[in-house]
Amino acid sequence: MGAWAIAVHGGAGVDPNLPKERQEEAKRLLTRCLDIGISALRSNLTAIDVVELVVRKLETDPLFNSGRGSALTENGTVEMEASIMDGPKRRCGAVSGLTTVKNPVSLARLVMDKSPHSYLAFSGAEEFARNQGVELVDNEYFITEENVGMLKLAKEANSILFDYRIPTVGTCGAGAAMESPLQMNGLPISVYAPETVGCVVVDKEGRCAAATSTGGLMNKMTGRIGDSPLIGSGTYACDLCGVSCTGEGEAIIRSTLAREVAAVMEYKGLNLHEAVDYVIKNRLDEGKAGLIAVSKNGEVACGFNTTGMFRGCATEDGFMEVGVW
């Protein structure tokens, strides 16, 4: 019998001028999610059940970019994606291009448990959802007034916005087109928190699991797929650890960031904290990202090269921490 641990994130990269009220609101939500996960672990739920439960909570709350409150495409619609992975046998499920599924992470779980496949997308994923009887809602359910306003700002700036909730300093309309030294695949972008959500858990049996969910980038091209549903990039779990990533999706995809944590633990013999530190420093090139991770031994770690990351973690020995910076 080992010790359980849990970590949760709400996105890497935070505006240094983020209002204190917004910071506290985010910390309260992360704390509630940790409490939900802790209660479930104390009730002997398995790691895979706990990560799904916690991410469902994050998808239902519009504060972060997943489920309700997801970022909007260039056409003003929502296209969501999610993945989940169970460490013991490396079983996984992933979905992309969802427009009506209330909780994408649960559909990813059904892909893992109820289909012969690992990944379904767009119309095929929606048809699978209908066949499985999951809760469906109109696309308008996911769209908030705040997001509509931020899409307008992004279009005026002719830019993809990572943090679509926080206008750039001194902006008014087209003033948002600030110069940015950061690029995505060679193109300039305005970058702050992408606010993807994720959860990693190791239960007292040493079973690791991970789940990640997002609405993607504000003003993204229709059909764009990021790292969150890609096993090995945004999400990974095995017998050693569970990892969920957040940040610049294209950089995370190129580096297979989540899998790299497990790889350096397995092949270089690093412990969890060493592995997280190593991949953040050596595998992102010029990309900006963060991640949370747990190990089969009950360790928990996070790492990021952005200005802050919404995150929280707890362990069976009573340790609990929620932070932004």
Side-chain angles (χ1 to χ4, degrees):
M1 299 286 285
W4 57 257
I6 180 173
V8 62
H9 74 74
V14 183
D15 188 339
N17 300 309
L18 182 68
K20 187 70 174 179
E21 306 79 48
R22 172 76 191 283
Q23 295 180 41
E24 293 304 315
E25 186 180 9
K27 289 166 72 173
R28 286 193 296 271
L29 175 56
L30 293 171
T31 299
R32 290 197 299 272
C33 289
L34 284 177
D35 288 339
I36 289 170
I38 290 169
S39 177
L41 285 162
R42 288 173 175 168
S43 299
N44 297 321
L45 263 68
T46 63
I48 193 68
D49 290 332
V50 177
V51 295
E52 180 187 2
L53 181 68
V54 170
V55 173
R56 280 179 62 94
K57 171 63 177 176
L58 289 163
E59 290 174 338
T60 303
D61 193 298
L63 181 63
F64 293 130
N65 173 17
S66 66
R68 185 165 184 265
S70 284
L72 305 181
T73 70
E74 60 188 355
N75 294 331
T77 58
V78 166
E79 291 181 357
M80 300 165 291
E81 49 197 26
S83 62
I84 192 167
M85 191 164 187
D86 194 13
K89 294 185 178 180
R90 285 181 287 190
R91 300 168 59 246
C92 59
V95 289
S96 289
L98 301 183
T99 59
T100 65
V101 176
K102 187 175 182 180
N103 290 108
V105 71
S106 291
L107 187 62
R109 175 75 184 272
L110 286 169
V111 171
M112 180 179 75
D113 288 342
K114 302 294 185 181
S115 87
H117 307 302
S118 295
Y119 196 160
L120 294 175
F122 296 94
S123 61
E126 294 278 343
E127 180 180 1
F128 178 72
R130 290 191 294 271
N131 292 339
Q132 291 296 317
V134 303
E135 185 173 2
L136 304 177
V137 293
D138 292 335
N139 198 251
E140 288 74 17
Y141 162 83
F142 304 104
I143 299 173
T144 64
E145 183 178 348
E146 184 179 31
N147 287 354
V148 172
M150 293 311 296
L151 178 62
K152 182 175 183 290
L153 179 64
K155 285 185 174 296
E156 289 172 348
N158 192 27
S159 176
I160 294 170
L161 297 184
F162 263 15
D163 190 339
Y164 51 89
R165 300 171 197 275
I166 304 170
T168 47
V169 177
T171 61
C172 182
M178 60 180 288
E179 292 186 5
S180 172
L182 294 166
Q183 297 184 336
M184 179 178 290
N185 285 347
L187 300 176
I189 52 174
S190 299
V191 175
Y192 273 121
E195 299 187 349
T196 291
V197 305
C199 181
V200 293
V201 167
V202 57
D203 59 32
K204 64 182 181 180
E205 301 296 331
R207 296 171 296 213
C208 298
T212 311
S213 181
T214 190
L217 304 177
M218 180 62 74
N219 200 28
K220 66 183 180 181
M221 294 175 65
T222 301
R224 182 262 185 182
I225 295 173
D227 67 286
S228 296
L230 301 184
I231 299 301
S233 291
T235 303
Y236 191 74
C238 60
D239 58 346
L240 290 175
C241 63
V243 185
S244 174
C245 300
T246 171
E248 184 188 333
E250 279 66 12
I252 294 170
I253 292 169
R254 292 194 302 270
S255 63
T256 57
L257 195 65
R259 167 59 184 159
E260 279 292 294
V261 175
V264 296
M265 291 179 70
E266 182 175 357
Y267 300 123
K268 293 178 70 73
L270 303 186
N271 65 36
L272 184 71
H273 293 274
E274 293 170 337
V276 169
D277 184 63
Y278 181 86
V279 301
I280 291 294
K281 289 180 178 177
N282 296 286
R283 290 294 184 263
L284 281 167
D285 301 320
E286 297 180 357
K288 299 295 183 181
L291 62 85
I292 54 174
V294 292
S295 77
K296 67 176 183 180
N297 299 322
E299 302 166 298
V300 63
C302 71
F304 50 94
N305 64 0
T306 53
T307 304
M309 180 171 77
F310 295 108
R311 66 198 185 276
C313 61
T315 57
E316 191 170 10
D317 62 9
F319 172 79
M320 184 172 178
E321 181 179 67
V322 175
V324 177
W325 309 110

